[in-house]
Amino acid sequence: MTEHVEWSEAETPAPPASTAVTPADAADAARLVAFGLQPKLAPARDQEYTELLRRYREDPAFARLADAVAAGLGLVVLEVSPRAGMAVTAAEDSVFAVRMGDYARRTAADSGDRFLHGLAHLAIAALAFPRPEDLADDSYIGRVTVNGVDAFVRQACRRLEERAEEQGENTDPATDAPGLEAAWRIWARRSATGATKDARRPAASTTGIVAKALAFLTDSGFLQRTGDDNGGTYRTTARYQLQVRDMAGNAALAELSELGVVPVTDGTATLLPAEDTDDLDLVADAGLPFHS
């Protein structure tokens, strides 16, 4: 009997350790998500942020809790790492989602311009990461300029017009017609720089639209401004690379990339020379994007 009791006690598994979530755990998880919603905050500059990132990587239960907090807020976790911090993007139904219509209304009185603002964002993404390998390389940094993005879109407009003429399509749709191709054609009609009495760049000009998009991405922690040449120069951040990866399957982005306006041979991206540039109205000194 004694031996049986001793054997039973020895073989009985120990009760599992408590995995109950404490209020402190929930607070820490929410704090980590809050850090993720501050895209300009570098993890290396905040000790608490760094510690919570370490805990996320080393404690699976805490990671699941933080992911659940993010999901409850309508956020999608793209990556959690020292380089990007807790990089999140808003799902369509999230309170944090920025609708292109809302963005356009904040930037222009004409609601029809929302197509042009959307095209500017697509062009910036395509020029920042012209090759799949650039998008996959965590060490890759893309650089774009205001004038370079505008020149890129204008040459894309020319390609699309030529393709439409070959296919016998209508090449002169109504200005307010929806659709991406209509936006490209409207862009070609719009003045690149416009003119104001005090020499400012009009917000409704195409370079004004690009500048607004780049400023928005900078304020959102996706880009960093590096200079004033060529209308303004910018470099990408880890968060922007993750964001573009997330939208890489976007049909409009794929179509823009497949136009062949950005040839890549030795790692340097540039615009293909047009057969006749007299009617392209390209910006002088476009400052085409370069990459490291």
Side-chain angles (χ1 to χ4, degrees):
M1 177 67 72
T2 302
E3 292 180 357
H4 175 71
V5 172
E6 291 176 351
W7 177 86
S8 299
E9 290 176 351
E11 294 296 323
T12 300
S18 174
T19 57
V21 175
T22 68
D25 292 332
D28 285 346
R31 181 67 173 154
L32 178 57
V33 175
F35 278 127
L37 289 170
Q38 301 176 60
K40 289 187 176 182
L41 178 62
R45 296 181 180 178
D46 192 289
Q47 184 175 354
E48 183 184 6
Y49 194 2
T50 300
E51 175 59 27
L52 288 172
L53 290 172
R54 182 198 61 76
R55 185 178 175 188
Y56 181 98
R57 297 194 307 275
E58 297 178 0
D59 185 347
F62 179 74
R64 289 192 297 270
L65 180 59
D67 289 345
V69 171
L73 293 172
L75 300 172
V76 177
V77 179
L78 300 177
E79 180 178 304
V80 179
S81 67
R83 79 177 188 112
M86 187 171 199
V88 297
T89 187
E92 292 185 4
D93 58 348
S94 173
V95 66
F96 297 102
V98 177
R99 303 286 190 275
M100 184 52 68
D102 297 335
Y103 169 82
R105 281 192 290 274
R106 294 201 302 266
T107 56
D110 183 1
S111 61
D113 280 0
R114 66 182 181 273
F115 298 111
L116 303 186
H117 286 279
L119 179 54
H121 279 275
L122 286 172
I124 292 166
L127 284 177
F129 304 102
R131 303 175 301 179
E133 53 265 41
D134 299 332
L135 203 53
D137 183 358
D138 288 347
S139 65
Y140 184 86
I141 296 175
R143 293 179 173 86
V144 295
T145 70
V146 170
N147 293 348
V149 173
D150 182 61
F152 167 53
V153 178
R154 288 184 179 277
Q155 194 156 339
C157 291
R158 175 62 176 268
R159 290 293 176 86
L160 286 168
E161 182 180 3
E162 292 174 349
R163 188 172 69 181
E165 289 176 349
E166 292 173 358
Q167 298 175 355
E169 299 175 0
N170 175 21
T171 60
D172 190 29
T175 299
D176 59 352
L180 194 54
E181 287 211 11
W184 281 327
R185 291 158 179 168
I186 296 170
W187 190 290
R189 298 191 189 119
R190 188 70 60 90
S191 170
T193 58
T196 60
K197 294 181 180 180
D198 55 2
R200 289 180 302 165
R201 179 168 49 203
S205 67
T206 54
T207 55
I209 289 172
V210 172
K212 188 69 177 181
L214 289 168
F216 172 80
L217 291 171
T218 301
D219 290 341
S220 301
F222 294 127
L223 299 177
Q224 294 175 347
R225 187 176 177 111
T226 59
D228 298 326
D229 294 341
N230 302 310
T233 60
Y234 300 80
R235 57 175 286 170
T236 60
T237 66
R239 281 177 172 262
Y240 189 55
Q241 187 178 47
L242 292 170
Q243 189 78 12
V244 177
R245 282 179 189 170
D246 188 56
M247 64 176 288
N250 181 290
L253 180 60
E255 184 176 1
L256 183 58
S257 300
E258 290 169 1
L259 282 177
V261 181
V262 187
V264 179
T265 54
D266 60 355
T268 301
T270 182
L271 291 180
L272 283 174
E275 295 179 1
D276 180 7
T277 59
D278 292 339
D279 59 345
L280 285 181
D281 192 26
L282 293 180
V283 181
D285 300 322
L288 304 180
F290 57 96
H291 303 271
S292 59

